[in-house]
Amino acid sequence: MADGKKTDDYELRDMNSGKGYEPPLNVPKIGGSTPMTAATNNPVFPILSYCGSSILMTVTNKYVLSGFGFNLNFFLLAVQSIVCVVAIQMCKSSGIITYRDFNSDEARKWFPVSLLLIGMIYTSTKALQFLSIPVYTIFKNLTIILIAYGEVLWFGGSVTGMALFSFGLMVLSSVIAAWADIQHALQNYGHSETEASAKVSTLNAGYMWMLFNCICSATYVLGMRKRIKLTNFKDFDTMFYNNVLSIPILLVASLLLENWSSANIEINFPPLQRNRIILAMIISGLSSVFISYTSAWCIRVTSSTTYSMVGALNKLPIALSGLIFFDAPITIPSVSAIGVGFVSGIVYALAKVKQSSKPKAGILPTTSQPMSASSQSTRDSFKS
């Protein structure tokens, strides 16, 4: 369980502070001439680390959720939150990162945001459970449109013509992806009307959860942006409070709403795969920490502009990971959808860069301030 932070989504305990990303205090400093210093200041390593972390989170979540009959989604998210809190506390104790100690007044102010986050990540797991990684990644782009126009309505943001064009490409890629998915289902299960109908129903359920996820993700980002003014949190502060406040809610929800019978536990954790599933759950929790840290590292040795382009380019390997590690259909329409979605991300990143380099006067209605690094990546992956 993340942020964010992605995603873009999964992107997903990481967030958009509205001020850009501030690297952790003890990320290796620029300077010096040792081989280790030279390596940490080489932009290739942080970029590859960031991309790898995003892919790792998406793939491990999909591995757990794609298990036959897996239905303990709240428990999965609770485990990820616990792992994340333990990991960042160890990092803080080691002096690698820094964040605020728990404060009940700040927790009270931040609690509504944590509730929104739970809605976002839960709907994200449900959508990823029913849809392939490429389709999930493509549809996550639609969240950008909702956030953009939410900022126009509530924060005085604006949308340039180039951004509008990228939005059109995002919608087009989503339509192509859905059409490719449905066509593949009908062609492969068309010999049995019952199987075809069941497959299409599964896809429709995934699209509905994806719609809910886009709405929840946009609401989380916009609501968090208003709430953060009360706390002035930085990214690791947000990650800490999001996870700490989410744990009791997720555990209670799991105990009350999910089936904890021995038979259902056997279904969710088959003996032959139990250890691998538990390991994947732990790794997915750690990956949210990796995403935040590598995002800060990437921005420190490059720039926020370079990072925005990396975020756009990162969608391609995430989508391709679904084709490589899972049985996502490889057809001309599905590959075309990935290509159009990839181009839309690049166009949107360029629109943001172009808009930020100009004075605000005279710009048409989308954007506002750039997303924080960790927020964008987590939401994209989960998410990001």
Side-chain angles (χ1 to χ4, degrees):
M1 171 174 173
D3 193 278
K5 245 175 146 4
K6 292 123 125 311
T7 136
D8 300 53
D9 123 337
Y10 111 78
E11 286 235 316
L12 286 214
R13 311 292 197 279
D14 319 339
M15 41 72 66
N16 173 19
S17 65
K19 303 177 184 177
Y21 192 93
E22 291 193 18
L25 184 62
N26 293 322
V27 173
K29 306 292 184 185
I30 297 177
S33 56
T34 65
M36 179 61 70
T37 302
T40 58
N41 291 327
N42 187 328
V44 173
F45 294 106
I47 289 174
L48 291 178
S49 299
Y50 163 67
C51 294
S53 299
S54 301
I55 294 172
L56 180 64
M57 168 170 266
T58 306
V59 170
T60 52
N61 276 319
K62 181 62 177 177
Y63 174 77
V64 175
L65 294 167
S66 62
F68 178 77
F70 188 88
N71 52 32
L72 298 177
N73 295 55
F74 282 120
F75 177 70
L76 166 65
L77 299 177
V79 170
Q80 292 175 344
S81 285
I82 293 170
V83 169
C84 186
V85 170
V86 172
I88 62 176
Q89 184 59 49
M90 291 176 63
C91 289
K92 182 180 180 181
S93 300
S94 303
I96 300 174
I97 63 174
T98 183
Y99 57 85
R100 306 180 192 185
D101 293 328
F102 185 83
N103 179 281
S104 57
D105 183 58
E106 289 181 334
R108 178 180 55 81
K109 293 176 181 178
W110 196 254
F111 185 71
V113 177
S114 294
L115 288 178
L116 292 174
L117 175 69
I118 290 173
M120 179 184 77
I121 58 179
Y122 180 76
T123 55
S124 176
T125 62
K126 297 298 290 186
L128 191 57
Q129 195 165 7
F130 291 112
L131 300 176
S132 65
I133 290 178
V135 173
Y136 173 83
T137 304
I138 291 168
F139 271 83
K140 283 297 290 185
N141 278 338
L142 299 179
T143 304
I144 297 175
I145 303 175
L146 297 180
I147 293 173
Y149 279 98
E151 291 182 335
V152 170
L153 293 174
W154 292 304
F155 299 103
S158 59
V159 180
T160 64
M162 192 174 184
L164 285 173
F165 177 64
S166 73
F167 295 164
L169 290 177
M170 291 174 189
V171 173
L172 177 62
S173 66
S174 300
V175 171
I176 296 174
W179 175 77
D181 248 9
I182 294 173
Q183 286 295 111
H184 180 266
L186 293 176
Q187 290 174 3
N188 284 268
Y189 300 94
H191 58 278
S192 171
E193 186 175 338
T194 302
E195 289 186 16
S197 177
K199 184 63 176 178
V200 172
S201 296
T202 298
L203 293 175
N204 289 337
Y207 301 143
M208 288 303 299
W209 281 113
M210 196 72 246
L211 173 62
F212 294 148
N213 178 248
C214 289
I215 295 173
C216 289
S217 298
T219 304
Y220 164 70
V221 172
L222 297 170
M224 178 219 32
R225 181 174 171 187
K226 290 184 75 76
R227 183 63 58 165
I228 199 169
K229 295 178 182 179
L230 299 176
T231 58
N232 195 32
F233 279 173
K234 301 300 184 290
D235 278 33
F236 280 103
D237 298 324
T238 304
M239 177 182 287
F240 173 68
Y241 274 92
N242 274 339
N243 283 280
V244 166
L245 296 176
S246 297
I247 290 171
I249 301 173
L250 292 169
L251 288 176
V252 171
S254 180
L255 291 173
L256 296 180
L257 302 177
E258 295 179 332
N259 183 358
W260 281 95
S261 66
S262 57
N264 193 55
I265 293 176
E266 193 79 7
I267 292 174
N268 284 271
F269 299 97
L272 294 178
Q273 298 179 330
R274 184 169 299 162
N275 291 337
R276 282 182 290 177
I277 291 175
I278 294 174
L279 179 61
M281 294 169 72
I282 294 173
I283 292 175
S284 63
L286 291 173
S287 63
S288 65
V289 183
F290 298 154
I291 288 172
S292 288
Y293 190 83
T294 55
S295 295
W297 186 16
C298 184
I299 288 180
R300 183 184 64 77
V301 301
T302 57
S303 67
S304 57
T305 299
T306 300
Y307 177 81
S308 67
M309 291 305 301
V310 171
L313 297 172
N314 194 34
K315 294 183 184 298
L316 181 61
I318 290 177
L320 292 178
S321 69
L323 303 179
I324 296 172
F325 297 110
F326 300 95
D327 59 348
I330 303 177
T331 62
I332 293 178
S334 66
V335 173
S336 299
I338 293 173
V340 175
F342 175 64
V343 172
S344 71
I346 295 178
V347 173
Y348 180 71
L350 291 173
K352 295 281 286 185
V353 171
K354 185 177 179 180
Q355 183 175 357
S356 64
S357 66
K358 291 183 178 181
K360 294 196 173 183
I363 298 181
L364 297 175
T366 294
T367 90
S368 231
Q369 307 203 355
M371 280 189 185
S372 82
S374 54
S375 163
Q376 192 171 7
S377 58
T378 307
R379 280 195 301 277
D380 285 346
S381 62
F382 206 140
K383 350 105 78 228
S384 306

